[in-house]
Amino acid sequence: MATISTNSLLFRSSIADSSSNRRPNRWRNGVAFASVSSENLCTGVKITEGLGQLPKVVLSSVDGSETEIYLFGGCATSWKVPNGKDLLFVRPDAVFNGQKPISGGIPHCFPQFGPGAMQQHGFARNMNWSISDSENVDGNPVITLELKEDPYSRSMWDFSFQALYKIILKPKGLSTVLKVINTDKKPFSFTTALHSYFRTSVTGALVKGLKGCKTLNKDPDPNNPQEGHEEREEITFPGFVDCIYLDTPSVIHLDNGLGDLISIRNTNWSDTVLWNPHKTMEACYRDFVCVENAKIRQVQVEPQQSWTAEQHLSVV
């Protein structure tokens, strides 16, 4: 295992733009990319310059699979299996400027899922994560990212915390482990999700494994979700879809309509969200669906305690 200094790779802005709740752009002119190095990283792990001169981590396995993770937002934007297919999707309107969250891949929703007391989906996807550790386990490259509180996060959520996000690239698989540690002297609570965008042909995409689950359907009124139960064996996306499924199984499957069956397995992500914007995003709705592992109800963590959840994606 190789461990690298957090301090040399930590670039967080110290003030927030109070008028927009966006991060001040500290990534311009390649400053952050020029300040990080791959020298101490393990085999199969490297740092390179991504879009908008933002630094990104690339994990590559000996079998030809690859994933890319931007430090801004701790966001995985690409997962390519050995045949070269990228199973994740980034929207064409995504911006890479270190201010607005990256629209696509696997963004974080933390410490709030959806709308609420703070900005939509919280602040983790708007912040610069650091590299805490890298390793190579049996040929599988692994990177651990870290996020801690700063004045920007405290302006919305006044707690000390540490979030560790481990990404493991495997043959035909991508696993993540999110650990949230309460480093404060008082309890805190949060909701969270991995807002995963999968590349699909929406007319052929379907999700299996949610029959019988309680649903909160946010269409047509997102402010007054309709309670129900899922009766379908296979859930399709014929129009606008925005639905929360509560207490879902540990494994569901996505047929992406492009010839791939993806297993979405989890530990401690109790809920699932399905979303497709349909014609509200005319330029790209045909090309993706979101299947999100989530924790919709509040998670409370006592001081010096932690909460951990895992997601395992694999091609069946």
Side-chain angles (χ1 to χ4, degrees), residues 34 53 69 87 111 125 128 149 160 170 181 199 202 282 291 308:
Q53 297 183 316
I69 308 103
L87 300 180
R125 62 182 188 152
N128 305 317
E149 80 284 346
S160 298
K170 301 177 181 180
I181 305 165
R199 186 180 304 275
V202 75
E282 180 68 36
V291 183
T308 303

Side-chain angles (χ1 to χ4, degrees), residues 1 29 39 42 62 67 70 119 136 164 178 211 233 292 316:
M1 179 186 296
N29 302 320
E39 291 180 2
C42 286
V62 293
T67 189
Y70 278 78
Q119 65 192 26
N136 192 293
L164 296 172
L178 176 64
K211 183 178 181 180
E233 293 279 0
E292 310 168 34
V316 178

